[in-house]
Amino acid sequence: DARVTQTPRHKVTEMGQEVTMRCQPILGHNTVFWYRQTMMQGLELLAYFRNRAPLDDSGMPKDRFSAEMPDATLATLKIQPSEPRDSAVYFCASGPTLVGAGETQYFGPGTRLLVL
Amino acid sequence: AQSVAQPEDQVNVAEGNPLTVKCTYSVSGNPYLFWYVQYPNRGLQFLLKYITGDNLVKGSYGFEAEFNKSQTSFHLKKPSALVSDSALYFCAVRALSNFGNEKLTFGTGTRLTIIP
């Protein structure tokens, strides 16, 4: 049963510290998405990649957030420096190529981040 | 721009009764429509999708949804609710016309509570 995995599942840190979240997409999926979920804003798309290339990161604060895919099996989301308002659940999702079809996104369990 | 609206933040249904969770959409072109469910402390799980064809789509756990083009709606339904259906439900849309754009736009979510 293929699944998206995310690490860590929980992270508590202090304001100003760097936070790195990792995602392993389902093998063979070539689109990867990063979402953030908060009570106030709901589910927000931060960035997404196709074939490891960033396609859209317009939802991501550029001054402190960065997203990369060093290889096809790893996506990272970094926050530096972190701020209390970054506290949220961060989800990674992956999907197969969507050309010509409405393919499904498969979500990981999320990283619950608390910045003190 | 594409968007979905879930007009109800909260829906309460007695166990055994039929349930409906509402969703309306706005896209230019033909839509791909999705329903996802989120259980507490979990990532989103795919329920069903409409791409083309029969307007009534059947999905996981006995759920179904009806695509209505004239009303631009895609309501989620189940004939007989279970307590285990209690969760947060998200409607999402992707615009077919945006070729190569895999971005899904999610609604704000509807919390469904099934009362024993």
Side-chain angles (χ1 to χ4, degrees):
Chain A
D1 184 21
R3 297 186 182 188
V4 176
T5 59
Q6 291 186 247
T7 57
R9 292 294 310 276
H10 303 272
K11 176 73 175 178
V12 180
T13 190
E14 293 185 345
M15 182 174 62
Q17 297 298 305
E18 177 178 302
V19 175
T20 299
M21 291 169 272
R22 295 177 175 81
C23 167
Q24 181 173 6
I26 293 173
L27 189 65
H29 284 185
N30 63 351
T31 55
V32 175
F33 305 80
W34 282 106
Y35 291 91
R36 175 170 65 184
Q37 186 178 36
T38 62
M39 289 292 292
M40 295 300 295
Q41 300 297 328
L43 196 63
E44 304 172 274
L45 177 66
L46 296 176
Y48 77 96
F49 295 77
R50 175 153 41 101
N51 296 325
R52 297 174 55 198
L55 284 192
D56 186 346
D57 60 1
S58 59
M60 199 166 64
K62 301 293 191 303
D63 57 338
R64 299 184 298 109
F65 285 61
S66 62
E68 297 179 344
M69 279 201 75
D71 61 60
T73 64
L74 177 64
T76 63
L77 179 67
K78 292 185 180 181
I79 308 174
Q80 169 62 24
S82 59
E83 298 180 0
R85 59 179 168 156
D86 301 329
S87 298
V89 182
Y90 291 82
F91 290 104
C92 173
S94 73
T97 302
L98 297 177
V99 175
E103 294 291 349
T104 300
Q105 294 184 21
Y106 296 85
F107 281 73
T111 294
R112 188 174 294 273
L113 173 65
L114 177 60
V115 182
L116 302 174
Chain B
Q2 57 195 46
S3 65
V4 288
Q6 293 181 245
E8 300 160 317
D9 292 336
Q10 174 82 39
V11 172
N12 297 326
V13 177
E15 185 179 19
N17 282 4
L19 69 88
T20 298
V21 183
K22 296 179 180 178
C23 172
T24 58
Y25 67 89
S26 175
V27 295
S28 53
N30 293 320
Y32 289 155
L33 293 157
F34 300 78
W35 276 102
Y36 284 81
V37 59
Q38 185 179 27
Y39 298 102
N41 301 314
R42 302 284 296 275
L44 277 69
Q45 295 178 31
F46 169 76
L47 271 182
L48 51 81
K49 65 183 177 184
Y50 171 82
I51 306 300
T52 186
D54 194 346
N55 289 342
L56 186 63
V57 179
K58 294 188 182 299
S60 307
Y61 312 120
F63 283 93
E64 58 188 27
E66 186 170 9
F67 172 67
N68 188 317
K69 190 171 184 178
S70 63
Q71 296 185 6
T72 62
S73 67
F74 189 58
H75 301 333
L76 181 70
K77 299 181 179 182
K78 187 173 182 179
S80 179
L82 301 173
V83 172
S84 57
D85 294 330
S86 298
L88 188 58
Y89 290 80
F90 291 94
C91 180
V93 66
R94 182 174 86 86
L96 176 59
S97 60
N98 291 346
F99 183 77
N101 178 1
E102 291 87 345
K103 185 162 59 176
L104 283 180
T105 300
F106 284 86
T108 51
T110 297
R111 186 164 299 281
L112 175 66
T113 300
I114 308 303
I115 303 166

